[in-house]
Amino acid sequence: MMIQQQGKKVGLPLMNLVRLNRTPILKQLHLEEKLLRKSSTNWCIINDGTDTPAIVMGISGKPSELLEIGSVLRDQVPVIKRFTGGGTVVVDKGTVFVTLICNKDDVPGVQPYPRSIMSWSGLLYNQVFKGIADFQLRENDYVFGNRKFGGNAQSITKNRWIHHTSFLWDYAEGNMAFLKQPARAPEYRMERGHTEFICRMNEYLPRTDFIEKTTEAVETYFSVKNVNLEATEEPCGAEFVPSTRLLSKQELEEALGPQPEIIGVSV
């Protein structure tokens, strides 16, 4: 009640902040989709890592074009198709996830269109990374100089939108081998391989500092109320069936296509 009164006093809309630690990314995406479609409240979700490595693809992504499927199947890496657009990312305990779910009328000057939302997010993270390296928003990516450390995706409904980011605090270089070089890539990538194109945030600032600075930046636009995970159940009512899902082994095998037979020669 106190926070709500303060929010009204200074004229800022209320935002519920949920802080998670190592929550499985599939569970997080299901939660985000439910809150976008069933809640009428603003939400910020910060998840500090996910429990096991996974590959997350955009809603229109095609495994055959984006993944080294043979390696994915061999290593039994889960592949998730999320409800938002955007590219493909390998996530694990070194990834920090930040999600903003907003009513379109609660962020003045932001229109419910991708470019407008991205521009606003760039201003938000300018506050977070002020004085740290050469932070920029470049072609929908967050970068230090010309190396990417944050990938974004969005979904927009009639009255609400979601903007979520996977921040590469750290990553295992071997995981990059699961990803093909995308046919469509930002111009600034200049055909660089994954490890030449991305960078680790841990080279620039402490993990806890990033999370705290992000919370402080959100507080310049919203009156923030810390809530626990159980509170997310309240506004959503009836059972919700998310569209975000885990791809089956059969789907991946079909995307891989027929493989040539290896004929042994007896001696």
Side-chain angles (χ1 to χ4, degrees):
M1 183 64 70
M2 175 71 74
I3 293 178
Q4 289 179 335
Q5 290 173 345
Q6 290 174 346
K8 291 178 181 178
K9 184 177 180 180
V10 298
L12 295 177
L14 178 68
M15 173 168 278
N16 292 319
L17 171 64
V18 182
R19 295 183 65 159
L20 307 174
N21 185 40
R22 299 281 183 91
T23 296
I25 187 58
L26 183 60
K27 180 177 179 179
Q28 179 188 333
L29 288 166
H30 285 171
L31 172 64
E32 292 176 3
E33 188 174 359
K34 180 178 69 173
L35 292 175
L36 174 68
R37 305 194 190 284
K38 294 296 184 179
S39 172
S40 59
T41 308
N42 302 306
W43 296 86
C44 176
I45 300 170
I46 301 176
N47 184 15
D48 192 3
T50 185
D51 60 344
T52 56
I55 297 168
V56 184
M57 305 174 58
I59 191 170
S60 60
K62 297 180 179 179
S64 60
E65 297 176 359
L66 299 169
L67 305 180
E68 296 291 353
I69 299 177
S71 299
V72 172
L73 286 168
R74 180 196 65 211
D75 292 352
Q76 300 181 359
V77 183
V79 179
I80 298 165
K81 181 165 283 195
R82 64 176 180 264
F83 67 101
T84 56
T88 304
V89 62
V90 183
V91 300
D92 58 18
K93 63 183 181 180
T95 313
V96 180
F97 306 92
V98 180
T99 298
L100 298 162
I101 303 171
C102 300
N103 292 318
K104 68 174 186 178
D105 295 331
D106 284 345
V107 191
V110 177
Q111 300 299 313
Y113 301 106
R115 187 180 298 273
S116 182
I117 296 168
M118 282 300 315
S119 295
W120 174 77
S121 79
L123 296 175
L124 178 82
Y125 286 108
N126 262 321
Q127 295 177 236
V128 177
F129 299 110
K130 185 176 181 180
I132 301 173
D134 179 20
F135 170 75
Q136 299 176 60
L137 169 63
R138 298 189 66 173
E139 300 182 57
N140 300 327
D141 295 335
Y142 300 140
V143 303
F144 289 134
N146 67 348
R147 301 186 74 182
K148 175 180 177 177
F149 66 90
N152 303 289
Q154 300 173 353
S155 182
I156 301 168
T157 66
K158 181 179 179 182
N159 297 310
R160 290 162 65 74
W161 50 260
I162 181 172
H163 173 86
H164 52 189
T165 307
S166 299
F167 287 99
L168 294 176
W169 169 257
D170 196 4
Y171 65 88
E173 290 192 15
N175 287 345
M176 297 301 109
F178 296 125
L179 305 179
K180 287 183 176 179
Q181 192 89 342
R184 296 178 59 185
E187 186 176 340
Y188 79 93
R189 180 166 183 161
M190 298 174 63
E191 299 184 358
R192 286 176 291 168
H194 294 295
T195 54
E196 288 76 33
F197 175 53
I198 61 178
C199 66
R200 295 175 170 90
M201 289 176 64
N202 63 14
E203 299 173 3
Y204 296 91
L205 79 167
R207 191 165 182 154
T208 53
D209 282 10
F210 166 65
I211 292 173
E212 292 308 314
K213 286 176 180 289
T214 298
T215 302
E216 290 170 6
V218 172
E219 288 174 342
T220 64
Y221 295 92
F222 297 92
S223 176
V224 174
K225 176 184 177 183
N226 288 282
V227 300
N228 57 30
L229 185 60
E230 288 70 28
T232 64
E233 300 294 333
E234 297 176 6
C236 300
E239 185 71 19
F240 176 70
V241 180
S243 61
T244 298
R245 65 187 184 88
L246 191 66
L247 296 187
S248 68
K249 180 181 178 183
Q250 181 179 342
E251 287 177 289
L252 294 173
E253 288 175 340
E254 290 174 353
L256 180 62
Q259 299 299 296
E261 285 188 47
I262 300 176
I263 302 174
V265 178
S266 59
V267 178

